[in-house]
Amino acid sequence: MQYENILVETNGKVGLIRLNRPKALNALNDQLMDELGDAMLKFDADENIGCIVITGSEKAFAAGADIGAMANYTYMDAFKGDYITRNWEQIRHVRKPVIAAVAGYALGGGCELAMMCDFIIAADSAKFGQPEIKLGTMPGAGGTQRLPRAVSKSKAMDMCLTARMMDAAEAERAGLVSRIVPADKLLDEALAAAATIAAMSLPVVMMVKESINRAYESTLAEGVQYERRMFHSTFATEDQKEGMKAFVDKRLPIFRNL
Ligand code: HXC
């Protein structure tokens, strides 16, 4: 697939995807989302990649779904075409960790895309919001579901109903983002975090991601049982033997993803 709306590169064992529709503040149209899904699945299948970073520009991670493209949609267009989420689901099939590095606006579908990632590193310039209500519509790619889980029901209601934006400091206080960095350090910080993850044992990384995601999809008792089984599974890996032996030998481990 030829990419026209994203830029894709590798940085050691990290796959980096930049959303790249600068004139439209990275508004997410169908073509961009097809390209993003394709690039992510390719990185997921590439055994030289251990972690993926998605970022936008200094001004915008993404200002939402493309309003012009959907302005004239009828209900039947949206329903029959399974509009929006059809090609947004790919990210959920990615088993390697995905970090969103967010500077500037992450609005509507842009905020939802960031929340689909495993964690968000924000520049101090980041602004998050679900302003769809101002357009006479509502979040359609998980915003009403992931936002309350991330920031509480009260803040999610406030943001989705008033359309107000949250700055980076509030987003960190509320738990939406894992860290804030100065805007000019954003990519370095995200790539360094991704490189740290990519140096771990990939199968164990995937078990951790799956287990944490279970926290959202099951009861506490089921989640704890799932985690226990995953924990037991790590003892079937060679990397666990290597990791613990390296600690005992007082040296760094060499993980072989086995
Ligand atoms: C299409 C967009 C866009 C969008 C910005 N642009 N956001 N085009 N879809 N979501 C375009 C503008 O039309 C403009 O194009 C250019 O990008 C620059 O935007 P400006 O508005 O001139 O910039 P600025 O004044 O700095 O304001 C920035 C902004 C504002 C606050 C982010 O652009 C804005 O409010 N955008 C819409 C945000 C939004 O409502 N998002 C939710 C979308 S609905 P021209 O050609 O004029 O230069 C949604 C539904 C999701 O996401 C449902 C499921 C996925």
Side-chain angles (χ1 to χ4, degrees):
M1 181 185 268
Q2 193 79 18
Y3 300 141
E4 290 170 16
N5 300 280
I6 60 172
L7 301 171
V8 175
E9 60 192 85
T10 55
N11 195 297
K13 292 176 76 181
V14 177
L16 173 63
I17 303 173
R18 296 173 198 259
L19 309 179
N20 188 39
R21 286 188 76 204
K23 287 189 185 136
L25 299 184
N26 294 333
L28 305 167
N29 62 11
D30 247 2
Q31 200 189 346
L32 187 155
M33 292 311 294
D34 282 341
E35 293 175 12
L36 180 62
D38 186 76
M40 279 198 300
L41 292 184
K42 284 199 177 116
F43 278 143
D44 207 30
D46 182 342
E47 61 181 31
N48 296 313
I49 294 296
C51 191
I52 301 168
V53 174
I54 304 178
T55 196
S57 69
E58 240 171 69
K59 183 153 189 213
F61 178 72
D66 192 309
I67 299 169
M70 66 183 153
N72 293 321
Y73 264 66
T74 64
Y75 171 75
M76 282 331 276
D77 292 330
F79 181 77
K80 285 205 288 191
D82 204 5
Y83 180 59
I84 293 288
T85 40
R86 174 184 54 79
N87 56 359
W88 291 55
E89 295 286 305
Q90 299 293 21
I91 193 165
R92 293 180 49 215
H93 303 305
V94 174
R95 298 181 72 202
K96 293 172 184 169
V98 183
I99 301 173
V102 175
Y105 297 111
L107 302 178
C111 186
E112 293 173 302
L113 174 61
M115 290 192 291
M116 283 180 207
C117 297
D118 296 309
F119 64 97
I120 301 173
I121 299 180
D124 48 16
S125 62
K127 288 191 178 61
F128 299 88
Q130 298 287 164
E132 290 92 339
I133 198 159
K134 286 204 292 188
L135 301 168
T137 184
M138 62 177 283
T144 65
Q145 305 305 300
R146 292 195 178 93
L147 198 59
R149 284 167 166 82
V151 304
S152 81
K153 173 186 160 188
S154 188
K155 272 192 192 289
M157 285 282 187
D158 183 356
M159 288 172 71
C160 293
L161 293 173
T162 69
R164 82 169 173 89
M165 292 185 210
M166 218 184 231
D167 65 15
E170 185 180 2
E172 190 189 31
R173 273 201 312 277
L176 181 60
V177 310
S178 70
R179 16 178 150 163
I180 305 178
V181 292
D184 60 349
K185 298 279 183 319
L186 176 67
L187 197 55
D188 287 349
E189 181 91 2
L191 289 174
T196 299
I197 293 167
M200 305 293 178
S201 166
L202 181 60
V204 178
V205 161
M206 294 194 301
M207 288 180 199
V208 171
K209 170 169 170 161
E210 244 179 67
S211 296
I212 292 180
N213 281 334
R214 272 281 156 142
Y216 290 98
E217 285 152 20
S218 59
T219 62
L220 182 62
E222 279 168 7
V224 167
Q225 182 63 15
Y226 187 84
E227 179 198 68
R228 181 172 303 152
R229 290 292 175 241
M230 280 289 158
F231 168 67
H232 293 160
S233 309
T234 66
F235 289 86
T237 67
E238 288 181 17
D239 287 340
Q240 172 271 327
K241 301 286 172 298
E242 166 64 9
M244 294 194 184
K245 187 161 190 314
F247 179 83
V248 171
D249 295 348
K250 300 193 185 303
R251 60 173 174 82
L252 289 174
I254 299 165
F255 293 127
R256 296 191 302 137
N257 297 338
L258 294 171

